[in-house]
C-alpha cells in the first residue's frame, strides 16, 4: 500500500541537497539496491570488470552542459557547421543510416551535423525515455513546489508488478543486501520495488515489464492526482477494470506524448504508441504507433542539457538515471569511450520472414531491422557531445557497425586526444552473455 509521507523539507534539503551520493555512490539517495553492491566492491577494492573507468563518476560530478543556452527554440542551436558536417558525412555509411550530432565542448561555439535527420524509425527501447519523462512530469504536477519531495516519493513508494510486468524474457538484477546475493531473473507478478528501482530496471537493463509498470504509475498519478499517494493495489486495479478501454488508451497516449509536445517535439519527430508488454492490453490499447527521428531525440537531449525538461532539477535527475553504470553495449561499447562518462539508451526492433531466410537471426531482421542509439559522451579533457543514431540495415546485426561508427565519430570530435591512438578497425561484435536483455 502506498502511504503519504510527511516531509520535513529542511531536513530533506540537508540530507539530499548537499551530499554526493549518486550514481554508484547513490544508494542512500535513491535506495536502488543494485548500486549498493557496486559501491561496496569499490570501497573494498574488489575487482569489478563489468563496467569501465568512465562509469565511476560521482553524483556531484554529473552536471548539465547547456544551461547557458537559454533559448526555448532549440532550432536556433541546430545550425549546421559545414566543416564539421563534412567530416561526419565522410565517415557515415550510405543507405539506411540517420543521425544528428552536437559537439558541446565549447558551449559558446556549438558544432552541429546531421544526416537524414527527419527520417522516422521505430524507436524500440529508446521510447522508454518518454516513460521516464512522463513519470517526472506527473510528479512535478503533484509536487510543484518541492523537487526534494518528488525524490522522497520515488525512494519510498513501493508498487508491485502484477500482470503489467509479465511476458518479458528480459531479466532484472535483484540484490539482497543482508545476504549479499545478486540474482538475475524475469519479473514475476509478486515483485515489489520502489518507483526509483523500477525506473532503474527500465533504463539500466531496459526491462520491458518495468517500463509498463512505470507507464501505469504515470497514468495513475494523472488520474488520481493527490489521491495517488493514498492509492492501494486494489483501488488501482479497480480503476483499470471499471474505466472504458478507450478512455484509458487516450489517457495513456496523453501522459507520455504531451510532455514531448510541450518541449516542442512534434508528433512526427517522436511519439510513443503504447505499453511495452502485452498483458495490460486488455485494458489499455495502442494509439498512433511509435516513431522516432534523430532530430526529435536530439531536441529532447539538448533540452535536457539546458535544464528545460520540466525544470533544471528534474533534467539533472533524469540525466543521472541515464548515466550508464551497467554493462555497455552497441554504440556505448566502443573502446574509445571506455574512459568517458556516457549517458545512454539503445533500442532495437526487428522482424524476420523465415520463408525468405530460415536462418534470419536476432537483431538481423530481413523485413525491418531497426537499431537505435542515443548517447551523451563526456571526456575528462572537456570534450562533450550528443549523438542520436538510427539505422534500418537488413540482414545484419548492426551492433558492431554502431560501435565502429562510435569510434570514428569520437576520433572526429576528440581529435587532439585520439590522434596518437591506434587506428580504429571494424571488428566482429562480441555480445555479452546477457546482452539480449536490451530491446
Amino acid at each position: 500500500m502506498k502511504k503519504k509521507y510527511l516531509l520535513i523539507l529542511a531536513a530533506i534539503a540537508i540530507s539530499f541537497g548537499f551530499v554526493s551520493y549518486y550514481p554508484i555512490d547513490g544508494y542512500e539517495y535513491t535506495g536502488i539496491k543494485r548500486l549498493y553492491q557496486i559501491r561496496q566492491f569499490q570501497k573494498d577494492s574488489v575487482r569489478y570488470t563489468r563496467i569501465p573507468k568512465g562509469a565511476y563518476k560521482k553524483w556531484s560530478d554529473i552536471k548539465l552542459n547547456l544551461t547557458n543556452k537559454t533559448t526555448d527554440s532549440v532550432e536556433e542551436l541546430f545550425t549546421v557547421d559545414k566543416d564539421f558536417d563534412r567530416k561526419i558525412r565522410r565517415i557515415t555509411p550510405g543507405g539506411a543510416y540517420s543521425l544528428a550530432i552536437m559537439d558541446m565542448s565549447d558551449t559558446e561555439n556549438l558544432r552541429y551535423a546531421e544526416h537524414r535527420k527527419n527520417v522516422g524509425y521505430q524507436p524500440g527501447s529508446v521510447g522508454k525515455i518518454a516513460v521516464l519523462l512522463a513519470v517526472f512530469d506527473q510528479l512535478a504536477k503533484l509536487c510543484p513546489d518541492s523537487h526534494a519531495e518528488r525524490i522522497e516519493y520515488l525512494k519510498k513508494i513501493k508498487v508491485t508488478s502484477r500482470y503489467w510486468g509479465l511476458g518479458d524474457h528480459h531479466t532484472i538484477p535483484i540484490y539482497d543486501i543482508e545476504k549479499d546475493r545478486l540474482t538475475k531473473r524475469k519479473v514475476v507478478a509478486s515483485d515489489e520495488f520502489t518507483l526509483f528501482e523500477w525506473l532503474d530496471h527500465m533504463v539500466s537493463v531496459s526491462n520491458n515489464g518495468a517500463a509498463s509498470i512505470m507507464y501505469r504509475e504515470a497514468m495513475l498519478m494523472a488520474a488520481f492526482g493527490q489521491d495517488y499517494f493514498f492509492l492501494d493495489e486494489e483501488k488501482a486495479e479497480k480503476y483499470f477494470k471499471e474505466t472504458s478501454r478507450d478512455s484509458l488508451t487516450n489517457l495513456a497516449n496523453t501522459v507520455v506524448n504531451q510532455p514531448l509536445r510541450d518541449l516542442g517535439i512534434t508528433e512526427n519527430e517522436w511519439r510513443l504508441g503504447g505499453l511495452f508488454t502485452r498483458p495490460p492490453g486488455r485494458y489499455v490499447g495502442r494509439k498512433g504507433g511509435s516513431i522516432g527521428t534523430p532530430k526529435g531525440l536530439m531536441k529532447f537531449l539538448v533540452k535536457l542539457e539546458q535544464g528545460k525538461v520540466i525544470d533544471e532539477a528534474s533534467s539533472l535527475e533524469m540525466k543521472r538515471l541515464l548515466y550508464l553504470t551497467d554493462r555497455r553495449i552497441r554504440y556505448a561499447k566502443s573502446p574509445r569511450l571506455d574512459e568517458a562518462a556516457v549517458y545512454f539508451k539503445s533500442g532495437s526492433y526487428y522482424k524476420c520472414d523465415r520463408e525468405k531466410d530460415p536462418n534470419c537471426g536476432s537483431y538481423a531482421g530481413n523485413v525491418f531491422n531497426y537499431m537505435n542509439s542515443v548517447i551523451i559522451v563526456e571526456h575528462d579533457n572537456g570534450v562533450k557531445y550528443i549523438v542520436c543514431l538510427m539505422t534500418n540495415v537488413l540482414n545484419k546485426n548492426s551492433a558492431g557497425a554502431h560501435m565502429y561508427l562510435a569510434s570514428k565519430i569520437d576520433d572526429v570530435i576528440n581529435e587532439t586526444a585520439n590522434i596518437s591512438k591506434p587506428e580504429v578497425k571494424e571488428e566482429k561484435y562480441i555480445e555479452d552473455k546477457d546482452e539480449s536483455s536490451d530491446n
Side-chain angles (χ1 to χ4, degrees), residues 12-21 59:
I12 290 174
I14 294 172
S15 299
F16 297 117
F18 305 105
V19 184
S20 296
Y21 285 121
W59 182 90

Side-chain angles (χ1 to χ4, degrees), residues 139-428:
L139 280 173
K141 289 180 170 66
L142 297 181
C143 309
D145 300 320
S146 174
H147 179 74
E149 190 174 5
R150 301 172 211 167
I151 296 301
E152 185 73 351
Y153 285 131
L154 286 173
K155 183 179 179 181
K156 297 298 185 182
I157 291 177
K158 293 184 177 182
V159 297
T160 54
S161 163
R162 285 106 77 184
Y163 54 88
W164 296 80
L166 305 182
D168 181 14
H169 69 281
H170 303 148
T171 63
I172 57 172
I174 302 173
Y175 181 64
D176 187 321
I177 291 178
E178 293 182 0
K179 297 179 180 179
D180 187 24
R181 184 171 64 192
L182 179 68
T183 304
K184 293 183 180 181
R185 60 161 174 78
K186 300 175 186 177
V187 172
V188 297
S190 59
D191 276 338
E192 182 181 67
F193 296 103
T194 65
L195 300 183
F196 243 142
E197 287 183 296
W198 281 122
L199 286 174
D200 184 62
H201 290 326
M202 178 181 79
V203 177
S204 70
V205 293
S206 204
N207 184 268
N208 291 337
S212 287
I213 291 161
M214 290 313 301
Y215 202 140
R216 175 193 72 196
E217 295 305 303
M219 291 177 64
L220 291 171
M221 291 178 197
F224 285 87
Q226 292 295 323
D227 289 339
Y228 171 81
F229 299 123
F230 303 96
L231 193 62
D232 60 26
E233 181 180 319
E234 183 180 355
K235 289 180 181 178
E237 288 304 322
K238 183 179 179 181
Y239 167 73
F240 287 107
K241 290 176 182 177
E242 295 184 354
T243 305
S244 73
R245 192 168 187 270
D246 284 348
S247 295
L248 290 173
T249 301
N250 288 334
L251 175 63
N253 191 266
T254 300
V255 161
V256 294
N257 288 303
Q258 188 56 50
L260 296 173
R261 306 299 158 259
D262 293 342
L263 292 173
I265 300 170
T266 69
E267 185 177 2
N268 290 329
E269 289 176 330
W270 187 12
R271 65 178 181 269
L272 187 60
L275 295 157
F276 288 81
T277 51
R278 291 185 177 181
R282 67 182 113 163
Y283 301 124
V284 185
R286 302 186 65 81
K287 183 178 180 181
S290 296
I291 196 170
T293 65
K295 186 175 181 179
L297 295 166
M298 179 61 74
K299 280 185 176 182
F300 175 84
L301 292 174
V302 169
K303 287 277 190 179
L304 190 78
E305 291 288 8
Q306 286 182 292
K308 289 181 175 289
V309 178
I310 302 172
D311 53 41
E312 190 166 326
S314 296
S315 297
L316 185 57
E317 198 62 54
M318 282 184 270
K319 185 174 179 179
R320 290 179 187 132
L321 279 162
L322 289 169
Y323 178 56
L324 197 50
T325 53
D326 207 294
R327 77 207 190 298
R328 292 185 176 183
I329 66 170
R330 299 175 181 168
Y331 191 105
K333 199 172 183 177
S334 163
R336 287 287 199 258
L337 308 183
D338 282 351
E339 296 190 1
V342 301
Y343 310 80
F344 180 70
K345 194 75 197 76
S346 179
S348 59
Y349 188 57
Y350 65 91
K351 182 178 181 180
C352 285
D353 183 341
R354 302 294 180 185
E355 292 184 3
K356 287 184 178 180
D357 180 7
N359 298 316
C360 181
S362 299
Y363 309 110
N366 57 16
V367 179
F368 54 77
N369 191 46
Y370 300 112
M371 188 168 286
N372 313 303
S373 298
V374 296
I375 191 168
I376 300 168
V377 176
E378 295 177 349
H379 286 284
D380 287 342
N381 63 357
V383 170
K384 301 174 183 179
Y385 59 90
I386 303 170
V387 178
C388 298
L389 171 65
M390 310 187 84
T391 62
N392 182 27
V393 179
L394 301 182
N395 303 303
K396 177 182 178 180
N397 186 335
S398 296
H402 278 226
M403 184 177 74
Y404 175 68
L405 184 57
S407 298
K408 300 296 286 184
I409 290 172
D410 196 76
D411 284 347
V412 169
I413 301 175
N414 202 25
E415 183 178 12
T416 302
N418 291 359
I419 199 166
S420 60
K421 293 181 180 179
E423 181 184 356
V424 175
K425 296 182 178 179
E426 190 166 7
E427 58 189 61
K428 183 178 180 181

